[in-house]
Every structure is written in C-alpha cells, then in structure tokens.
Amino acid sequence: MSNPIDHLINEYIRTLSPKELGAIKGNNSIRLDKGELPYPPSAHVTKAIADAISTINRYPDVLGGTLRESLAHYTGVRKEQIVIGNGSDDLIELIIKIFVKPGEEVLLPVPTFFVYWHATQMMGGNPVFISRTADFGLDVQALLQKVTVNTKVLFIANPNNPTANLIPRDVILSALNHLNCIVVIDECYYEFCKETAIDLIEKYPNLIILRSLSKSFGLAGLRVGYAITNEEISDYLYRCAQLFPVNKLALAGAIAALEDKSYAYSNIVKICQERTSLAHELTTLGFSVYPSATNFLFLSTKPLGITSESLVSALRKRNIFVQDFGMKPGLDEFCLRVSVGTPEENHEFIRVLREEILAISI
C-alpha cells in the first residue's frame, strides 16, 4: 500500500535505506565498534565545557568563532582555510551539495567509509565504486578508467576506513596529477599515522583535506570536524553551512583539547602499544590481521571458517560490540573491524572471543 505523502518526498530520499536504532549498550558493555577513543577527555577539557554551560542561553560564535584560529595554529595554515562542521559527516554532505548535481558522479574506491555514498545518494548523485588492489591499495589506473565528463568528486580516506591502511604519497600525487575533479582526502586518523597532504593545498586548487577531533582527541560525542582547503572553496563551504555549525559546548571542548595536546598524544601512544599487542593476540587465534595506521584493526575470519556476521552476533550476546563489514561494498563475508580499547577491555575481548570461536567451531 502506497503512502499518501510518497509523491511529496524527493525521489532521491525515497531510495535511501531506513536507519536502525542499533543495539542498546549498557554501562558494562565493551564498545569496540565505532572507532572511538576509550579514554575520557582531560580535566582541562571537562572544565572548559563545564564553564561554558552557564552561557548556553546564548548562541555559539558564528561559523566556529575562535576555534578556526586554534585549528589554523595546530595545522599550520591560515584561519581562512579552515571550515568547521558538525563532525566530518557534515562536511562530506556540504562538499557534495556544492559540487555534485543530480546524476553527476562521485568516485569511491571501495571498501571505504559508507557516509561518502550515502551522502551522494541523498543529494541525487551517482556513487561509482572502484575496486581496490588485493591489499586495499588505490588502483589509480582503474580509477582513471571510471572518469567521465560527469565525474565531480573523488573521496580517498587515508588511512582508509575500514581497512586501516595508508595510501603512499606517490599514489596520492598520481591521482591529483591526473584528475580535474574535486579530490577529498579524509585524514580523520591523522594523529595516529602523521601522514598528511596539507602541504599540497596550495599546489592543487581542487584539493580538500578532512580532519576530526573525534578519534585522537576523544571528542566523538561533541561532533567536531574540520576541512582544510584553499580560501575560495572554504568560502563556498561556509556559504552553504549552518550559521552555527557547532554548538557552544563543542567549541569550548575543542579549543581546550587543542590547548592540551600532550594529553591526547599520551593516549595515542597507549593505543598504538595496545594495537600491537591486540594484533598479536588475534593472529594467534587464527585471524588474518591487516596492518593498521589507525586506532582499529581490520580482520578476516576466513582462516577460521566462520563468517564475520556469526562471530559479531555471538559477541553481541556477550555484551561485546565489534563492527561487521561482511559483504559491504568491496568485501566478502569474512570481514570485521575492531577498535583498540583499554588493556582491560582488550583482555576481556580476547578471552570471550576465544570461547566463542571454540563454541562456533564445535
């Protein structure tokens, strides 16, 4: 039976899949499914947020206010090159809104971050999937073969999500040198790998870098992302952005986090140490574990003869959450992603995982 308002809904929106609430996670659950930092923000950050609460009857600063200056200082660019958004998801939508007309194409080397194609479909664009190499590298020749007069944007997550690998700089340069469309390099895991293309902004007028304070700075719940680009693109992004893209508490927390970088860096050291230990444990259990330049590990359950869906479901029943990527674009039915938790969380995860593998295999 058709809905009486169907004819009023934009046709591109009708084709989108409905969102689900997802599993409710209790306080005792181990949450390794969202790429979050397992450590809370520093006392300096929580104090700044608490101090800002008394003024939330007033609107936040327009277009991010002084956070632009803080981010410019942190990244080494001019404040006019910084665009602040409600997480990088917000900026992804803005980029597509500005550069992609209905029916035009967005190139997506898969597997990659699902928001790229979701936002493309939402705007009526056409996501064009390009297969990666066997080790999830970027196949520039395959990419170029997909370029048409309708190609408007290319998204490259670097490091890639969910596969955690870095694309070498020479490959990035090859893509930039052969493409006239907008090239977006998503560096939201930058602090874990220290690889960046920011220095190429001045040379390539079609380049946009995306970053986030969610992962390295532990502010996922505040939703603060930012873009770095030339001043012309920055101007157009802000023309389409909300006047208040980030709320007042998020602004206060983000500025304070950038003032307390040593705390963030100390957490990154701990995560990288735990990542090495966790990868070793998972390899010992029989998983294929891919190299990681992020705060998560990408695994294949194929050597175990178990689908990722069955293993993720079994762990969920034990109140442990990891992300199933089985049969997502560019992947088979054996793929999952595990965020690196605290030492205690990782230890319990491995203990339960060992039990569940044994139970499924019997």
Side-chain angles (χ1 to χ4, degrees):
M1 182 176 177
S2 63
N3 191 310
I5 67 163
D6 274 355
H7 69 287
L8 299 175
I9 299 171
N10 188 312
E11 61 181 298
Y12 310 121
I13 304 303
R14 287 203 303 268
T15 64
L16 297 177
S17 300
K19 289 187 174 73
E20 297 179 0
L21 179 61
I24 304 299
K25 301 165 187 173
N27 292 332
N28 295 323
S29 59
I30 296 178
R31 302 168 59 169
L32 307 177
D33 57 332
K34 292 290 189 293
E36 299 158 321
L37 194 75
Y39 302 106
S42 70
H44 181 64
V45 172
T46 55
K47 182 180 185 304
I49 294 172
D51 290 346
I53 288 175
S54 63
T55 63
I56 58 172
N57 57 305
R58 301 294 184 183
Y59 285 109
D61 292 334
V62 172
L63 302 183
T66 57
L67 178 56
R68 291 180 81 183
E69 296 176 5
S70 298
L71 287 168
H73 179 73
Y74 174 63
T75 57
V77 302
R78 298 182 298 280
K79 68 177 181 180
E80 292 79 11
Q81 295 178 276
I82 298 287
V83 181
I84 298 167
N86 182 35
S88 57
D89 294 8
D90 182 28
L91 295 164
I92 291 165
E93 290 185 13
L94 275 178
I95 289 166
I96 295 170
K97 182 186 295 184
I98 292 167
F99 293 104
V100 181
K101 297 175 185 175
E104 291 184 330
E105 297 168 349
V106 175
L107 300 182
L108 302 173
V110 291
T112 196
F113 187 35
F114 78 96
V115 172
Y116 304 149
W117 68 79
H118 180 269
T120 300
Q121 291 173 319
M122 186 168 59
M123 302 297 176
N126 180 24
V128 178
F129 293 160
I130 300 115
S131 297
R132 290 175 175 262
T133 60
D135 60 353
F136 302 120
L138 187 66
D139 188 336
V140 176
Q141 290 306 311
L143 188 156
L144 293 176
Q145 290 173 8
K146 294 285 188 177
V147 174
T148 74
V149 293
N150 288 319
T151 300
K152 300 304 291 288
V153 178
L154 163 67
F155 281 98
I156 303 173
N158 201 38
N160 190 40
N161 181 10
T163 56
N165 60 303
L166 270 170
I167 304 300
R169 186 179 176 87
D170 62 324
V171 177
I172 296 286
L173 285 169
S174 178
L176 284 166
N177 288 329
H178 287 91
L179 290 167
N180 292 320
C181 67
I182 294 295
V183 176
V184 182
I185 302 180
D186 190 340
E187 296 181 352
C188 74
Y189 296 95
Y190 160 73
E191 284 81 7
F192 292 96
C193 65
K194 293 296 184 181
E195 294 287 336
T196 184
I198 282 182
D199 59 300
L200 302 176
I201 290 289
E202 300 294 344
K203 183 177 180 181
Y204 296 94
N206 58 331
L207 178 60
I208 302 172
I209 306 293
L210 294 182
R211 294 270 188 90
S212 170
L213 298 185
S214 295
K215 316 299 183 182
S216 310
F217 288 89
L219 302 183
L222 290 183
R223 310 304 301 128
V224 182
Y226 61 102
I228 309 155
T229 186
N230 61 66
E231 292 178 26
E232 183 178 8
I233 291 178
S234 174
D235 173 53
Y236 279 110
L237 287 170
Y238 267 132
R239 290 189 198 188
C240 290
Q242 294 184 40
L243 191 60
F244 308 110
V246 179
N247 70 71
K248 179 170 281 191
L249 302 186
L251 289 176
I255 292 169
L258 291 166
E259 293 170 346
D260 198 8
K261 292 188 290 292
S262 60
Y263 177 80
Y265 295 160
S266 68
N267 284 334
I268 290 169
V269 169
K270 290 188 286 188
I271 290 294
C272 290
Q273 290 172 342
E274 279 299 304
R275 184 180 67 197
T276 300
S277 299
L278 186 59
H280 173 74
E281 294 281 358
L282 290 165
T283 301
T284 301
L285 286 175
F287 291 89
S288 290
V289 182
Y290 292 87
S292 175
T294 68
N295 66 336
F296 61 81
L297 294 170
F298 187 68
L299 318 175
S300 174
T301 62
K302 192 171 185 178
L304 298 170
I306 302 171
T307 65
S308 55
E309 181 182 18
S310 61
L311 191 56
V312 170
S313 177
L315 289 170
R316 188 184 302 120
K317 293 174 183 176
R318 302 285 297 271
N319 218 20
I320 295 177
F321 296 85
V322 298
Q323 191 68 45
D324 181 19
F325 277 90
M327 301 308 295
K328 296 295 190 290
L331 295 171
D332 60 25
E333 68 268 36
F334 302 103
C335 300
L336 61 90
R337 188 190 67 190
V338 179
S339 305
V340 179
T342 65
E344 296 76 17
E345 288 173 334
N346 297 334
H347 176 78
E348 180 64 8
F349 165 60
I350 291 295
R351 185 188 71 79
V352 174
L353 184 61
R354 184 178 291 112
E355 293 177 358
E356 292 303 325
I357 291 173
L358 182 60
I360 294 172
S361 301
I362 292 176

